[in-house]
Amino acid sequence: MGGKQGTRPNSLSFDATSGLKDHMLVKGFKNDYAKFSAYGKGAYAGKRHTWWPRRHVRSVVFTFALLGFFFLLDSFMYSYFDPTFFKNGPTPAYAPRDLNAENEANERGPVMYSQLVQMASFSLAKIDQEQNVTKFWKETRPEASAWKPCADKNQKRDAKNTTGFILVSANGGLNQQRVAVCNAVAVASLLNATLVIPKFLYSNVWKDPSQFSDIYQEETFMNMLKDDVDIVKELPLHLRSTDFEAIGSLVTDADLSKEATPDEYIRNISPILSRNGVVHFLGFGNRLGFESVPSHLQKLRCKCNFHALKFVPKIQKIAALLVKRITKYEASRSLLDRQLLGSFIPTERVEAANPSKYLALHLRFEVDMVAYSMCNFGGGERERAQLQAYREEHFPLLLERLKKAKPPSPEELRKMGRCPLTPEEAALVLASLGFDHGTYIYLAGSQIYGGESRMLPLVSLYPNLVTKEDLLSPTELEPFRNFSSQLAALDFIACAVSDVFAITDSGSQLSSLVSGFRTYFGGGDAPTLRPSKKRLAAILQENSTISWHSFEKRVRKMIEEGQRVRLRRPGRSIYRQPRCRDCMCSDNQ
């Protein structure tokens, strides 16, 4: 798509009328049959002896018509799944990784549910013909609008002398580090310590040297939280050369329980602060739980996540450009826009404009996710060999654990809801919810395992699928090259401000944080689709016998139940489920 606003990707073009033509073809055969029937009864009534073909003209015509229909249908389905149908376009942004390069460009990918995909195609043609608009563009639960953001209100803090300095070196990618930062703010407040602006560890997985100030606005972060916790940019000079391990101030993830309680910090970390005046948390991945955390600390975590961590102008500017191009609209459409895009999205209304709605889809079908799951995805022996080789190289500890205990079979894993959804399964869910063939879909995430061939069922049903690489020119993307966390920030914003956000893995940190943002700032009008992988697997198990009507009904029920307005349950992430009195305010309070 390059840098031109509103341009659709040529590589994803698809004949939207092909399914409709088949539908009309069937009706045409029925009408022709009726005509021949009437002709035979009128012109030849009463004649006992007629030439055989004339006497059986209806049967002959119907037989030839039926054979012709099946011939055309077979041709349509061949072109529908033939990757050469798209061969004239440029290479999509979701091109396969090196592992996927072994697949030939024109190889057909595995289609696990061909009958359902065919029914979905006809269903979308009918939707286009009748111009039906799905109800899932809107929040299905009006009571969601009763909850409003209010974590930015200042809290009273007792004036105390600081007990020391807390330094955090956070691991992981963008979203893991974001959680670590806000957990560090809460721990600093709990221990009455001064927080040093967190550092981000370089990861061999993410390969991103970005630091806090490359992603977030430092001054905004410090000013927003100044009434809650003391924050400095650097350690005092006399502590900068300290060997933290030598003095016993280095605390790794092995030294803390996962999702540790406040009592554990007071019992184990507070004495170190008192003795050495500094503690360095190394890693700090999910090292503060959500159970037994005082209300004021929960509110502080919300204030940090939803108000204090603002993306830097460099990210906001390009994200605003991306959103404007997909919506074809220059102004802010919601509070989410204003919170995440800042001054780069005008607040005034634009006259004579018709914004395009879009759905953001976060597919977790990267090769590492697929390999780690131990599931099968219809690719046969070749797929199993590829994924096993990847596990041997990247997940040796997983294979060691599997030697000690018999793992569930791939079929059992799928029944338990442990398998990532494929692009094909995601397409079937969207089609069953009534999203029409022309729906704009923003695809977030890394390269999809299997590349173009694996994406074919999704792109065939939904050709208006775009990525940031389609919407932005190489020049616009150049400042983000080799900075995976900054690229992930663009996906974060595009998903958060979308009209509908569809997730395929509820355990994903990006999906959790984005859905939390949409709950917090969405005003009850930012729907998120959360399919249950376990329930969907049970439905898809009947793929060879289930009717489209039944499939559609059961999937819609699953999604509607996932959209129920629920208060945050004890122990659940307040970043993902902020709808509680510790984080939001209700009209009914």
Side-chain angles (χ1 to χ4, degrees):
M1 181 168 278
K4 295 182 180 180
Q5 183 170 340
T7 307
R8 298 187 183 186
N10 294 330
S11 62
L12 301 179
S13 61
F14 181 72
D15 184 3
T17 63
S18 56
L20 181 58
K21 287 176 182 175
D22 285 335
H23 175 72
M24 296 304 292
L25 192 61
V26 175
K27 291 184 67 178
F29 286 140
K30 289 182 179 178
N31 293 337
D32 289 344
Y33 176 73
K35 290 176 184 177
F36 280 118
S37 298
Y39 181 76
K41 288 181 181 178
Y44 293 91
K47 292 186 179 182
R48 292 185 179 182
H49 302 286
T50 59
W51 187 42
W52 183 87
R54 290 185 178 180
R55 186 172 57 183
H56 294 280
V57 66
R58 290 182 298 174
S59 300
V60 171
V61 171
F62 177 72
T63 301
F64 277 102
L66 193 61
L67 288 172
F69 167 70
F70 282 120
F71 175 77
L72 289 172
L73 180 62
D74 181 69
S75 299
F76 165 73
M77 291 306 296
Y78 177 79
S79 65
Y80 184 86
F81 291 109
D82 188 0
T84 60
F85 190 76
F86 300 97
K87 67 182 179 181
N88 295 323
T91 303
Y94 48 80
R97 299 184 183 191
D98 290 341
L99 176 64
N100 302 324
E102 299 174 18
N103 295 325
E104 298 177 6
N106 63 347
E107 181 184 359
R108 295 184 188 180
V111 177
M112 300 171 69
Y113 312 103
S114 58
Q115 184 170 312
L116 277 174
V117 172
Q118 180 183 348
M119 289 191 287
S121 176
F122 285 115
S123 175
L124 294 186
K126 183 178 179 182
I127 290 172
D128 288 344
Q129 182 185 22
E130 297 176 356
Q131 296 184 342
N132 294 332
V133 178
T134 179
K135 69 177 183 179
F136 290 97
W137 280 114
K138 294 290 184 181
E139 186 72 64
T140 59
R141 306 286 177 172
E143 60 268 31
S145 62
W147 289 85
K148 304 290 192 299
C150 64
D152 56 335
K153 295 179 180 178
N154 291 330
Q155 305 179 74
K156 291 183 179 180
R157 180 169 62 130
D158 295 334
K160 296 180 182 177
N161 294 325
T162 182
T163 56
F165 293 88
I166 287 180
L167 179 65
V168 171
S169 296
N171 60 13
L174 173 78
N175 303 294
Q176 292 83 359
Q177 289 167 347
R178 186 183 188 99
V179 169
V181 168
C182 293
N183 286 347
V185 168
V187 168
S189 176
L190 172 70
L191 301 178
N192 195 39
T194 297
L195 177 68
V196 179
I197 291 284
K199 306 293 183 184
F200 294 157
L201 293 174
Y202 181 85
S203 165
N204 288 328
V205 175
W206 300 102
K207 301 185 186 303
D208 187 345
S210 296
Q211 287 302 315
F212 188 98
S213 61
D214 298 314
I215 299 173
Y216 301 112
Q217 300 175 29
E218 276 190 352
E219 297 301 327
T220 300
F221 177 71
M222 297 172 72
N223 289 335
M224 180 62 68
L225 299 172
K226 64 182 180 181
D227 294 324
D228 305 283
V229 62
D230 294 325
I231 303 176
V232 295
K233 292 185 178 182
E234 296 286 349
L235 281 171
L237 282 172
H238 69 280
L239 289 175
R240 290 182 191 177
S241 58
T242 301
D243 185 336
F244 299 113
E245 186 174 12
I247 66 171
S249 282
L250 182 65
V251 179
T252 69
D253 283 355
D255 301 317
L256 279 170
S257 304
K258 187 176 181 180
E259 299 193 349
T261 63
D263 285 346
E264 185 172 341
Y265 281 92
I266 293 172
R267 186 173 60 252
N268 298 333
I269 306 303
S270 189
I272 300 175
L273 268 177
S274 299
R275 183 174 65 249
N276 299 330
V278 63
V279 168
H280 181 197
F281 291 106
L282 184 63
F284 208 60
N286 295 320
R287 284 308 182 267
L288 178 63
F290 298 94
E291 195 75 66
S292 305
V293 177
S295 177
H296 72 281
L297 292 182
Q298 296 284 45
K299 187 176 287 290
L300 185 54
R301 288 165 118 176
C302 284
K303 186 175 183 179
C304 170
N305 183 47
F306 298 116
H307 295 279
L309 287 176
K310 301 286 189 185
F311 291 114
V312 293
K314 167 189 169 183
I315 292 173
Q316 289 182 332
K317 180 181 178 181
I318 297 300
L321 196 61
L322 186 156
V323 172
K324 289 175 186 177
R325 286 177 180 168
I326 195 170
T327 61
K328 305 180 183 68
Y329 196 63
E330 294 290 327
S332 168
R333 302 181 302 154
S334 67
L335 181 58
L336 279 163
D337 285 352
R338 296 190 290 277
Q339 288 293 327
L340 287 165
L341 300 172
S343 61
F344 294 98
I345 191 84
T347 56
E348 67 272 9
R349 305 296 297 174
V350 177
E351 297 298 329
N354 184 24
S356 295
K357 292 181 178 179
Y358 77 97
L359 178 149
L361 172 63
H362 185 215
L363 274 177
R364 290 302 313 279
F365 204 71
E366 301 91 349
V367 63
D368 52 350
M369 185 84 172
V370 170
Y372 197 86
S373 72
M374 301 297 296
C375 298
N376 287 339
F377 300 95
E381 186 56 40
R382 184 178 184 182
E383 175 190 280
R384 283 191 285 274
Q386 282 184 343
L387 296 180
Q388 181 62 18
Y390 188 90
R391 291 182 200 108
E392 290 172 359
E393 180 180 354
H394 297 277
F395 303 130
L397 294 180
L398 170 66
L399 296 180
E400 286 298 319
R401 288 202 304 268
L402 293 176
K403 290 178 183 178
K404 299 175 183 178
K406 182 181 178 181
S409 68
E411 293 74 24
E412 291 171 327
L413 288 169
R414 189 167 296 279
K415 288 179 181 179
M416 292 187 288
R418 302 271 291 276
C419 300
L421 295 193
T422 66
E424 178 186 2
E425 290 167 333
L428 290 172
V429 170
L430 296 180
S432 69
L433 298 178
F435 287 98
D436 64 62
H437 182 73
T439 299
Y440 273 95
I441 298 178
Y442 179 86
L443 180 65
S446 302
Q447 292 95 338
I448 301 301
Y449 171 69
E452 292 181 62
S453 59
R454 178 64 76 170
M455 287 292 293
L456 189 58
L458 173 59
V459 177
S460 298
L461 292 177
Y462 292 101
N464 292 330
L465 184 145
V466 294
T467 65
K468 54 185 173 290
E469 288 80 8
D470 296 312
L471 293 165
L472 300 170
S473 70
T475 301
E476 290 161 344
L477 280 171
E478 185 58 36
F480 299 90
R481 299 291 181 194
N482 303 318
F483 298 103
S484 61
S485 290
Q486 295 180 44
L487 286 170
L490 299 180
D491 278 341
F492 185 105
I493 294 173
C495 290
V497 304
S498 64
D499 294 279
V500 175
F501 178 49
I503 66 178
T504 58
D505 179 25
S506 59
S508 158
Q509 197 74 271
L510 182 142
S511 293
S512 295
L513 291 175
V514 167
S515 61
F517 257 80
R518 293 172 65 80
T519 297
Y520 190 80
F521 288 117
D525 194 25
T528 298
L529 310 178
R530 302 178 180 88
S532 162
K533 290 189 290 185
K534 184 176 182 179
R535 288 180 63 177
L536 184 61
I539 298 171
L540 290 171
Q541 196 172 14
E542 304 173 28
N543 73 90
S544 60
T545 58
I546 194 170
S547 68
W548 182 254
H549 174 74
S550 178
F551 178 78
E552 186 178 75
K553 183 179 179 180
R554 290 169 67 179
V555 171
R556 290 188 178 205
K557 182 180 179 182
M558 172 186 69
I559 294 296
E560 286 172 349
E561 290 179 359
Q563 290 183 321
R564 288 177 180 171
V565 177
R566 297 184 176 95
L567 299 184
R568 187 182 73 90
R569 288 175 283 179
R572 294 303 179 95
S573 168
I574 204 162
Y575 306 121
R576 179 182 180 180
Q577 297 181 3
R579 197 178 284 122
C580 64
R581 293 180 180 179
D582 292 339
C583 195
M584 300 181 72
C585 298
S586 170
D587 293 342
N588 301 321
Q589 284 180 313

